[in-house]
């Protein structure tokens, strides 16, 4: 590390010397003739040459010749402003250029860690693979999953988890690639097509693009009850001018959802917004009823925890209600309980991403 800083300091000094040397050359050349005069002289010769070869008529020759001569006279009469340099500033500049890397080196020794050894990327990946997965950041988890896939070969579950890690790392492009690879391996899984559609919507900053529509349509072919696919396809219809069809699809979706499903309120809200009507509001009594149903579900799961669909519903309910603390706590507990059931883990993660009621 010290050698690096020594080299950096020498390079900084060389750069400063090069700048000063170029400045001195510019000062030496300041009194030279204006190069534009030579250009105009060459133009005069070229005009005469073209005329002698018959390429321009005499009338045009005289006009072009007069214009070039006028410019030549103007360039000859112009006086350049004298280029000056204050030589007294050269020494302070050199001193400053020499002290800058030394100052940086001193600061590094004061607040840095010059004794810390290098941390090769391979060693860091090995450390992450041996760590508790819950302690890793999403980018670290993505790197670990990539290394495992490269080492052992990938399956749909591995690529699905990689897509989740990439999305949590704010990298939807990589998430889309992972989901496409998972779909190549398991083309009949509706959750993978649904996830791909959601990622493509994020990529397009909320727009339901034709590629996203195709992904949601593939999801619906395999699971006609897919809530996310039905919702986004209807939103694409409304945005694309098929307002009546989109609203009808949303109303059908709301009718199919149970009354105690918090997603139903979100669908009713977007319907109201599309119609220009005030969004339906929960009064205190209705909100208390919804919260009571969610609390009842939580109590039932505490007494009878062997209900994966119930855990998914509970996570989704807390997400819709905007209770992030309970959502995360329930998600952690459910993931620990179903750590070896990839389909349940996938459903739990999707439920946790449900948008809250506004």
């Amino acid at each position: 590390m010290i050698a690096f800083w020594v080299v950096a300091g020498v390079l900084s000094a060389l750069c400063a010397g090069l700048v000063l040397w170029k400045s001195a050359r510019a000062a030496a050349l300041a009194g030279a003739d204006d190069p534009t005069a030579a250009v105009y002289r060459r133009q005069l010769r070229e005009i005469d040459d073209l005329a002698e070869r018959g390429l321009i008529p005499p009338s045009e020759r005289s006009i072009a010749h007069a214009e070039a001569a006028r410019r030549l006279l103007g360039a000859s009469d112009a006086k350049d402003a004298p280029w000056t340099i204050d030589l007294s500033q050269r020494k302070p500049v050199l001193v400053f250029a020499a002290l800058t890397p030394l100052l940086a080196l001193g600061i590094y020794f004061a607040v840095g860690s010059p004794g810390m050894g290098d941390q090769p990327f391979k060693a860091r990946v090995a450390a992450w693979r041996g760590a508790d997965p819950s302690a890793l950041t999403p980018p670290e988890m993505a790197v670990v999953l990539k290394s495992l896939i490269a080492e052992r070969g990938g399956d749909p579950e591995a690529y699905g988890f990689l897509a989740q890690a990439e999305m949590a790392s704010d990298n939807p492009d990589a998430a889309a690639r992972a989901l496409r690879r998972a779909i190549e391996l398991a083309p009949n899984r509706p959750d993978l097509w649904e996830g791909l559609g959601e990622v493509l919507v994020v990529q397009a900053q909320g727009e339901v693009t034709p590629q996203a529509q195709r992904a949601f349509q593939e999801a619906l072919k395999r699971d006609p009850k897919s809530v996310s696919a039905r919702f986004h396809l209807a939103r694409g219809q409304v945005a694309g001018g098929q307002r009546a069809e989109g609203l009808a699809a949303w109303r059908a979706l709301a009718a199919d959802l149970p009354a105690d499903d918090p997603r139903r309120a979100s669908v009713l809200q977007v319907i109201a917004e599309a119609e220009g009507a005030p969004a339906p509001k929960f009064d205190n009594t209705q909100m208390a009823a919804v919260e009571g149903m969610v609390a009842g579900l939580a109590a039932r799961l505490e007494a009878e925890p062997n209900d994966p669909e119930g855990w998914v519903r509970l996570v989704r309910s807390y997400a819709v209600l905007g209770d992030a603390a309970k959502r995360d706590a329930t998600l952690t507990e459910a993931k620990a309980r179903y750590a070896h059931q990839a389909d349940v883990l996938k459903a739990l993660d999707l439920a946790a991403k449900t948008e809250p009621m506004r």
Side-chain angles (χ1 to χ4, degrees):
M1 184 61 72
I2 295 178
F4 166 78
W5 283 102
V6 171
V7 172
V10 172
L11 290 177
S12 300
L14 289 176
C15 290
L18 180 61
V19 171
L20 292 174
W21 177 62
K22 288 290 186 180
S23 300
R25 288 195 62 190
L29 296 174
D33 293 337
D34 188 353
T36 56
V39 173
Y40 297 137
R41 292 191 188 97
R42 185 170 65 251
Q43 285 183 348
L44 287 171
R45 291 194 299 269
E46 291 174 351
I47 292 169
D48 293 336
D49 180 62
L50 292 173
E52 291 174 359
R53 292 160 58 188
L55 297 177
I56 59 174
S59 58
E60 293 185 10
R61 173 188 180 183
S62 59
I63 295 173
H65 204 283
E67 178 64 21
R70 185 185 63 79
R71 293 180 180 178
L72 175 60
L73 291 174
S76 301
D77 294 338
K79 292 183 178 180
D80 294 334
W83 194 91
T84 60
I85 181 171
D86 187 358
L87 297 178
S88 64
Q89 295 181 358
R90 180 176 295 181
K91 196 171 291 185
V93 170
L94 279 173
V95 173
F96 180 78
L99 288 179
T100 298
L102 294 177
L103 179 62
L105 182 60
I107 294 174
Y108 173 73
F109 277 112
V111 301
S113 301
M116 180 176 289
D118 191 16
Q119 291 184 317
F121 185 69
K122 186 175 181 180
R124 281 180 283 167
V125 174
W128 295 338
R129 289 180 60 168
D132 182 1
S134 62
L136 298 178
T137 64
E140 293 170 349
M141 178 60 72
V143 171
V144 170
L145 289 170
K146 288 178 182 177
S147 69
L148 291 174
I149 289 173
E151 179 182 304
R152 307 173 185 174
D155 56 24
E157 298 300 336
Y159 282 109
F161 288 130
L162 175 59
Q164 295 177 36
E166 296 289 12
M167 282 298 293
S169 304
D170 196 21
N171 190 359
D173 294 342
R177 288 194 297 270
L179 283 169
R180 288 191 176 99
R181 179 58 182 145
I183 289 171
E184 289 178 3
L185 299 172
N188 291 321
R189 282 185 49 175
D191 59 319
L192 296 177
W193 285 106
E194 185 180 277
L196 177 60
E198 293 172 347
V199 169
L200 293 175
V201 169
V202 173
Q203 274 186 311
Q205 298 181 345
E207 179 185 354
V208 185
T209 62
Q211 294 81 3
Q213 289 178 354
R214 177 181 175 276
F216 288 129
Q217 288 165 355
E218 293 292 335
L220 276 183
K221 288 179 183 177
R222 295 156 177 82
D223 179 13
K225 295 183 179 180
S226 172
V227 175
S228 178
R230 293 173 66 186
F231 176 83
H232 285 293
L233 285 173
R235 192 161 67 86
Q237 288 179 311
V238 173
Q242 297 177 297
R243 188 168 176 275
E245 293 85 347
L247 287 171
W250 270 338
R251 292 191 186 98
L253 175 59
D256 290 343
L257 290 172
D260 61 345
D261 191 327
R263 291 175 297 178
R264 186 172 184 274
S266 298
V267 176
L268 293 175
Q269 181 174 345
V270 296
I271 292 173
E273 291 174 353
E275 293 178 333
K281 301 287 185 181
F282 278 133
D283 57 28
N284 292 336
T285 303
Q286 291 172 318
M287 182 58 72
V290 172
E291 291 176 347
M293 287 187 289
V294 175
L297 176 60
R300 182 175 65 79
L301 289 174
E302 186 175 353
E304 302 174 3
N306 191 21
D307 181 6
E309 291 185 3
W311 285 102
V312 172
R313 287 180 57 198
L314 185 59
V315 170
R316 183 184 299 115
S317 299
Y318 285 138
V320 172
L321 292 175
D323 195 335
K326 289 185 178 180
R327 177 202 64 194
D328 294 342
T330 304
L331 180 64
T332 301
E333 183 179 353
K335 279 189 168 184
R337 183 176 297 278
Y338 299 101
H340 301 293
Q341 297 187 33
D343 55 338
V344 178
L345 295 175
K346 173 68 174 178
L348 288 168
D349 285 323
L350 290 176
K353 296 176 183 177
T354 305
E355 293 292 327
M357 291 186 300
R358 290 172 288 179

